[in-house]
Amino acid sequence: QVLAIWLRVEAVEPCPLEVLAMGSAMRCWAGICGDGGASRRAAAAARASASMSTVAKPVLRLDEPYESPGASASFQELVDSFGLVPAPPGLAEPRALVTSNFQKNSSRLLVVLPSSDASWAIWDDSLGQPHACVAPLFRWAAAGNFAVALFSASALQAAPAETWDSVLKGSPARFVAVAAAGGALKLLQDALTPVHPLLYGRLRCVCSPWTCNGTSDLKAPSGEDGEELFKHLQGTLVQLPASWADLEPYGMHQCLFQLVAASEERFQKGEMLKFSGFQNLKENDVPGLRRMPMDTRIKRMDRDRDNDELARLLRKHEREAGAAGPAAAAPVDEEEPGVD
C-alpha cells in the first residue's frame, strides 16, 4: 500500500515551469499579450523558479480524491477535514478559518484571499472545477510547513482593514505569502492601507493570476503612505504564468508553491547578505562582537538616520535584491560602509 501511494505521487509529472516560461516567451515574441516587457519578466521569473525551487508534495490515499472535500463542501466539512479553527475567536460569524498551528508557526504563513462572493470551499471561482477548490491549498501548505489563513469573502468585502488586522495579528510568522484570487488585489490593498509599513513588511510574496500588467489590478496610490504600500506590493507581486490555469490541478498547485518557495529563498538570501554586512560596520554596534563607547553614542545622536552607515548598508542589499525604490538610487560605498 505504501508503494502504491508513492507511485501515485511520483507518477504525476513535475511542474512544467520551463514550458510555462516558453509559452510566455512565445506570446511575447508574437506580440499577442500586448505588453512584451511584462511577458519577458514573467518568462524570466518562471525559468529562474524552475531551476531553483523544490517543494514537499502532499501524500494522498488511493481512495481519496485530490480535491476532496470538493467545491460543494460545507463550512463544517472543511473544518472537520483539516482541523481548522474560526478566527478571531468569539465571533458568531468567523472572519477566517486558520490551521491549528496558526499561532505557533513563526516561519511561514499562507494567506488565501478568495473571489468575491465565493463560498468557504472555493478559492478562485474563475478557474472552474476542480481547480477552484481550496482544499488542495491546505494539503500543499501542510506538506510545506505553512500555517494557513483562509479569509471569508463576505467579511473581507465588508471591512477589509478590520478583517485583515483582527486575523493576522494572531500570527507570529515572519514570511507571509498571499494567494490572491482574480480581483482580490484591490481588497488586499484596501486592507493594508491603514496598516503601518513595519506590520506589512513581513508580506514577502503575493501570487496573483496572470494579467498583461499586474500592477493594473492595484489602485493608484494616494499620499505618502499609499505610495509606500504601492511600491511594496509591486516588489512582492508574483504573477502566475498565463498557461498556469491550463494545467491539471496537481501541477497547477505545485507551480504555485514553487513560486512561493522561490520568493522565500530570495528573501532568505537577502537576509543572509544583510546580516553578514553587519560585521563590517565601523560606526555602529556589532551584536556579539563590539559595542560603541557611551561618548561616541552621545555624539552620534543627531546624525542623519536616513543616510547613516546602517541605512546605506540596508539600501545596498535592498537594491541588490531588486526591492529598493527610487530613494535608494544614490551611490553607496561598496567596500566599507561608513568609512570616508
Side-chain angles (χ1 to χ4, degrees):
Q1 185 178 5
V2 173
L3 177 61
I5 294 176
W6 178 83
L7 289 173
R8 173 174 177 176
V9 174
E10 295 300 323
V12 181
E13 294 184 1
C15 175
L17 279 177
E18 296 92 342
V19 177
L20 298 183
M22 181 57 68
S24 298
M26 294 295 289
R27 282 190 301 276
C28 171
W29 297 332
I32 295 174
C33 67
D35 186 355
S39 292
R40 285 192 295 271
R41 290 192 295 272
R47 284 194 298 271
S49 301
S51 63
M52 64 190 296
S53 303
T54 57
V55 293
K57 302 176 184 178
V59 177
L60 300 174
R61 294 175 55 88
L62 292 175
D63 57 351
E64 183 180 8
Y66 174 67
E67 66 277 5
S68 175
S72 60
S74 65
F75 173 86
Q76 194 58 45
E77 285 178 321
L78 202 62
V79 169
D80 294 341
S81 297
F82 299 103
L84 305 180
V85 180
L91 295 182
E93 294 292 333
R95 295 172 177 172
L97 287 176
V98 300
T99 50
S100 58
N101 63 342
F102 178 75
Q103 293 182 310
K104 300 176 183 178
N105 191 330
S106 60
S107 300
R108 304 180 184 94
L109 171 65
L110 176 68
V111 176
V112 182
L113 301 183
S115 302
S116 58
D117 302 325
S119 66
W120 284 104
I122 296 293
W123 169 41
D124 191 340
D125 53 15
S126 66
L127 297 176
Q129 303 299 332
H131 299 70
C133 297
V134 75
L137 293 180
F138 283 102
R139 291 195 174 91
W140 281 91
N145 192 30
F146 280 83
V148 183
L150 169 64
F151 277 87
S152 163
S154 57
L156 203 59
Q157 291 275 352
E162 182 183 355
T163 300
W164 177 276
D165 184 62
S166 64
V167 175
L168 265 291
K169 67 182 181 182
S171 170
R174 61 194 303 264
F175 179 87
V176 177
V178 174
L185 283 180
K186 290 185 175 65
L187 281 177
L188 176 63
Q189 192 175 11
D190 290 339
L192 296 178
T193 296
V195 176
H196 193 278
L198 288 176
L199 298 180
Y200 63 67
R202 61 177 178 160
L203 183 63
R204 311 290 181 179
C205 175
V206 179
C207 293
S208 176
W210 168 266
T211 58
C212 287
N213 180 11
T215 56
S216 63
D217 291 336
L218 299 174
K219 297 183 293 186
S222 58
E224 184 176 348
D225 293 339
E227 181 72 23
E228 187 171 357
L229 173 60
F230 186 79
K231 290 178 182 177
H232 181 80
L233 292 177
Q234 278 185 313
T236 58
L237 182 62
V238 178
Q239 282 197 291
L240 300 168
S243 303
W244 173 76
D246 298 330
L247 297 172
E248 292 298 318
Y250 190 98
M252 184 184 77
H253 294 117
Q254 183 176 349
C255 286
L256 171 64
F257 278 85
Q258 279 190 305
L259 291 171
V260 172
S263 296
E264 184 181 17
E265 187 170 347
R266 287 194 298 270
F267 163 67
Q268 297 290 358
K269 287 183 177 179
E271 291 293 289
M272 180 186 67
L273 291 173
K274 183 189 303 181
F275 285 106
S276 64
F278 288 164
Q279 298 178 4
N280 297 323
L281 294 179
K282 306 297 183 182
E283 302 174 2
N284 290 270
D285 291 338
V286 180
L289 295 178
R290 182 184 67 250
R291 291 186 63 84
M292 305 301 294
M294 183 60 68
D295 292 343
T296 304
R297 291 170 179 269
I298 294 175
K299 290 178 182 178
R300 299 184 66 249
M301 288 182 65
D302 59 348
R303 69 186 184 277
D304 181 5
R305 297 178 185 272
D306 290 331
N307 197 37
D308 65 357
E309 178 190 38
L310 184 58
R312 293 196 299 273
L313 176 66
L314 295 179
R315 283 202 300 270
K316 168 189 171 183
H317 292 298
E318 285 177 354
R319 187 171 62 251
E320 290 175 352
V332 178
D333 184 357
E334 298 290 342
E335 297 297 328
E336 293 190 19
V339 177
D340 296 331

